[in-house]
Amino acid sequence: MDERTTGPGAPDSGSHGSPVAVVGLGYVGTSLAAVLAEGGYAVRGVDVDPALVDRVAQGECPIEEAGITGRFERYASEGRITANTDASVLADCPTVLVTVGTPLAEADPDLSAVEAATETLAPYLDPEDLVVYRSTLPARATTGTVAPLLAAGSGLDPGNDFHLAFCPERMAEGSAYEDLTTTPVVVGGLSATSREVAEAFWASLGLETVPVSDPTAAELAKLADNWWIDLNIALANELALLAEELGTDATEVIAAANTLPKGQHSVNILHPGAGVGGSCLHKDPRFVASLGERYGLDLETPRVSRRVNDRMPGHVVDLTREALDGDLAGATVAVLGVAFKAGTDDTRNTPAVPVVEGLREGGATVRVTDPYVPAGEIEGLLGLTPGRLPEVLSGIDAVVVVTGHDAYRTLTPERLLERVGRDSFAVVDGRHVFAWDAFDGTGITYRGVGRGVRE
């Protein structure tokens, strides 16, 4: 089915009347713009990057994301999505969504982009406007940082003269379109009226809403989601380490464990792997730990999850060394995947970086490939020129799978043997793209995260 012509909402341009502004056209803002346009809104993007704005003007999507890229480009070409570095376009937008990033600064969130965006949009606010923050914020930032800046810049009273709400972004790379069109939207309004107006906006897109008492509850709900996910993956990763020592398959153990009903659902242990990347899981648990310190609490679980998950790339390097009889020196290793998540071009905090660094520190010559990530980005990130899969595999001593792209899941032992051109080499599977027994009887040494050695 053509992704550009399907989805929720009526796709008649401007069917909702006044345009909606999206401040910040990064991964979140770009994805949201496509969904808003499909839902019938004219979208006015504002971003500080002139090159990005020029791309949108040419009908290009700034990101590669299934379900989003085609839609965005269609609506940009039609003029339903526009972008500008001039914030004056906000004057004609009674609804403004702020989606700028909040990167990690030490252990605390860097709110400089949020503050700058807030100061930029404030003078253009009118009574009865709706401002919604989607950027991940630490608890009490909406009330303690954003609302005062909006008040100072607009001369209006947030929550009374205009409506202010925090509605956390809850999408993931690789499934952004589905997440944005099916996941309930948590709505924390600065006032009861702000909450109602924000709920009505999301309802206009056919989305279910989850109202909470205030913006702080919504901010904490977002952090709680990623806190739980990171902890769950940490449990899976430590289970994987134990399974390796016991000579069994953690994926089988997890599948069995997840059949236990518990409460309203069932046990739901996620999958172990080569490491956790991206923005949210890397930073949000650290935000939580820092927030706890601010209020005199020593919260241990967010620190534990980060320690466990941060060490997994090193474990993949150790598995590779083990598969090569204890020595990486002089080996040629093909690393498959640079993006942190399958099916995307997103390299933020990718485990590929520490994996490649560890292999090179051990004396290995490393080749890399990724069908999604541009060559220039890989060169800047790793200092290596990527190659196509057949070239990268030729004559190697070991293959290390860091990203579970579909292209790697179609590889068979026979195809690997043909492309490598050798009878014996090692495969280190960081994403379970192969069955545990796939290489039995082939002469290929297999090691997988969470999979013991098969004799």
Side-chain angles (χ1 to χ4, degrees):
M1 185 174 290
D2 187 345
E3 70 171 37
R4 298 171 300 175
T5 58
T6 61
D12 297 323
S13 181
S15 64
H16 284 295
S18 301
V20 172
V22 176
V23 180
L25 289 176
Y27 218 101
V28 174
T30 296
S31 299
L32 185 58
V35 171
L36 289 168
E38 183 171 61
Y41 285 101
V43 181
R44 304 292 175 252
V46 177
D47 200 280
V48 297
D49 184 352
L52 184 151
V53 168
D54 287 344
R55 290 184 63 188
V56 176
Q58 295 168 20
E60 295 181 19
C61 183
I63 65 170
E64 184 67 36
E65 170 72 28
I68 294 297
T69 302
R71 288 180 167 88
F72 187 97
E73 292 181 346
R74 173 190 174 187
Y75 299 130
S77 297
E78 294 175 353
R80 195 182 308 179
I81 297 175
T82 60
N84 207 309
T85 56
D86 182 356
S88 65
V89 299
L90 298 173
D92 298 323
C93 300
T95 301
V96 180
L97 307 176
V98 180
T99 61
V100 297
T102 51
L104 192 67
E106 299 298 332
D108 293 312
D110 179 356
L111 297 181
S112 60
V114 170
E115 291 169 352
T118 302
E119 291 170 346
T120 297
L121 73 89
Y124 299 104
L125 286 176
D126 292 320
E128 303 304 321
D129 281 357
L130 170 65
V131 182
V132 175
Y133 281 76
R134 299 279 282 175
S135 305
T136 299
L137 298 176
R140 294 188 173 173
T142 304
T143 56
T145 300
V146 166
L149 287 174
L150 290 173
S154 67
L156 301 173
D157 184 14
N160 290 314
D161 295 334
F162 69 92
H163 311 294
L164 175 62
F166 180 74
C167 302
E169 167 270 313
R170 306 176 83 192
M171 52 167 265
E173 293 82 353
S175 59
Y177 178 75
E178 180 179 2
D179 294 342
L180 284 169
T181 55
T182 62
T183 302
V185 180
V186 176
V187 180
L190 193 62
S191 64
T193 303
S194 290
R195 182 179 66 243
E196 292 167 2
V197 171
E199 283 195 273
F201 169 73
W202 296 114
S204 73
L205 292 165
L207 292 170
E208 178 186 352
T209 57
V210 181
V212 293
S213 58
D214 54 33
T216 301
E219 291 161 345
L220 199 54
K222 163 68 179 204
L223 295 176
D225 277 338
N226 288 327
W227 186 1
W228 178 87
I229 294 169
D230 202 46
L231 272 169
N232 192 314
I233 296 172
L235 185 156
N237 281 331
E238 292 211 316
L239 175 60
L241 298 178
L242 183 59
E244 287 175 24
E245 294 301 319
L246 295 174
T248 192
D249 181 1
T251 62
E252 183 180 45
V253 173
I254 289 169
N258 284 352
T259 62
L260 175 67
K262 192 65 177 176
Q264 296 178 330
H265 305 286
S266 296
V267 170
N268 181 29
I269 303 171
L270 300 176
H271 289 284
V276 174
S279 174
C280 292
L281 296 187
H282 178 76
K283 68 181 181 180
D284 286 5
R286 292 184 170 95
F287 285 6
V288 171
S290 178
L291 187 65
E293 289 178 0
R294 192 176 308 160
Y295 292 95
L297 299 172
D298 183 13
L299 302 178
E300 296 186 7
T301 51
R303 293 187 178 89
V304 168
S305 67
R306 284 289 80 221
R307 285 199 301 271
V308 171
N309 293 333
D310 283 348
R311 74 183 183 187
M312 293 310 292
H315 181 62
V316 170
V317 174
D318 290 341
L319 286 176
T320 309
R321 183 182 292 107
E322 175 190 326
L324 293 172
D325 297 323
D327 193 5
L328 292 170
T332 299
V333 180
V335 171
L336 309 190
V338 177
F340 88 87
K341 187 172 183 179
T344 78
D345 62 352
D346 197 336
T347 61
R348 291 175 296 173
N349 300 305
T350 174
V353 171
V355 167
V356 169
E357 288 175 350
L359 293 171
R360 296 175 79 176
E361 287 170 3
T365 297
V366 179
R367 303 173 183 171
V368 295
T369 186
D370 192 295
Y372 294 92
V373 183
E377 185 172 348
I378 293 175
E379 291 170 357
L381 195 65
L382 300 173
L384 296 171
T385 301
R388 296 175 59 252
L389 185 60
E391 302 161 355
V392 166
L393 290 175
S394 179
I396 50 83
D397 298 293
V399 179
V400 179
V401 181
V402 173
T403 315
H405 291 314
D406 286 345
Y408 309 146
R409 295 185 181 278
T410 61
L411 291 171
T412 62
E414 295 74 21
R415 191 172 297 171
L416 275 174
L417 284 164
E418 178 183 348
R419 290 185 173 179
V420 173
R422 299 177 56 180
D423 293 334
S424 180
F425 55 93
V427 172
V428 178
D429 189 356
R431 297 298 176 190
H432 308 116
V433 302
F434 301 106
W436 191 23
D437 60 355
F439 298 97
D440 289 359
T442 63
I444 298 172
T445 300
Y446 176 80
R447 296 289 185 273
V449 172
R451 286 171 166 171
V453 178
R454 286 178 65 87
E455 302 296 341

